[in-house]
Amino acid sequence: MMNKISHTGIIETIKDECITVRILQTSACASCKVAGHCSASESKEKIVEVRDKKAAVRHKEGDSVIVAMSAQNGREAVLIAFAIPLVLMLVVLIGMRQLTENEGVMALVAVLSLVPYYFAVYLFRRKLAGKFAFVIEN
């Protein structure tokens, strides 16, 4: 299993120690020979911010760089963004099933249960941004 997640990108801007890198995120099948004819292959352009004073001095706008994050941090980010909210919604949905038979109310309360969760994530965004930061490898 790989220890890191890495992408090649181009530096868009450098402001103080904040480097903005544009990466092309591709699906696993995008490198396939028939990917151009298949709707399953997809790629998306993403903008990533890297805070690194030394890299800001070493590089200039337009440079090609490799940005990386540990695979463990990537898994934790997916857990926070998707897995925990899914479990929270299911628990609330099952709990609401005990209180009401109205499926509309059950679904609404389950979805609304995500508001405080994502608000808490928003409040801790600076701490999370430091934990889930990309670094420039080259």
Side-chain angles (χ1 to χ4, degrees), residues 64-120:
S64 179
V65 294
I66 297 173
V67 293
M69 174 189 287
S70 76
Q72 177 63 31
N73 281 355
R75 285 188 290 275
E76 288 177 21
V78 169
L79 186 73
I80 290 170
F82 301 110
I84 293 174
L86 176 65
V87 170
L88 175 65
M89 275 185 33
L90 290 174
V91 166
V92 170
L93 194 62
I94 292 168
M96 286 302 296
R97 178 83 170 128
Q98 304 301 318
L99 300 175
T100 182
E101 293 293 319
N102 188 333
E103 291 177 356
V105 171
M106 290 174 7
L108 181 64
V109 172
V111 171
L112 289 177
S113 71
L114 297 179
V115 172
Y117 175 77
Y118 281 116
F119 183 69

Side-chain angles (χ1 to χ4, degrees), residues 35-64:
H37 306 289
C38 176
S39 62
S41 66
E42 60 182 61
S43 62
K44 297 177 186 174
E45 205 171 78
K46 304 274 187 178
I47 301 295
V48 176
E49 285 188 358
V50 179
R51 298 199 177 274
D52 186 348
K53 203 175 250 186
K54 292 178 184 176
V57 173
R58 281 194 321 262
H59 297 285
K60 63 184 184 312
E61 293 178 7
D63 283 356
S64 179

Side-chain angles (χ1 to χ4, degrees), residues 26-33 35 38 40-42:
T26 57
S27 66
C29 59
S31 61
C32 175
K33 291 179 183 178
C38 176
S41 66
E42 60 182 61

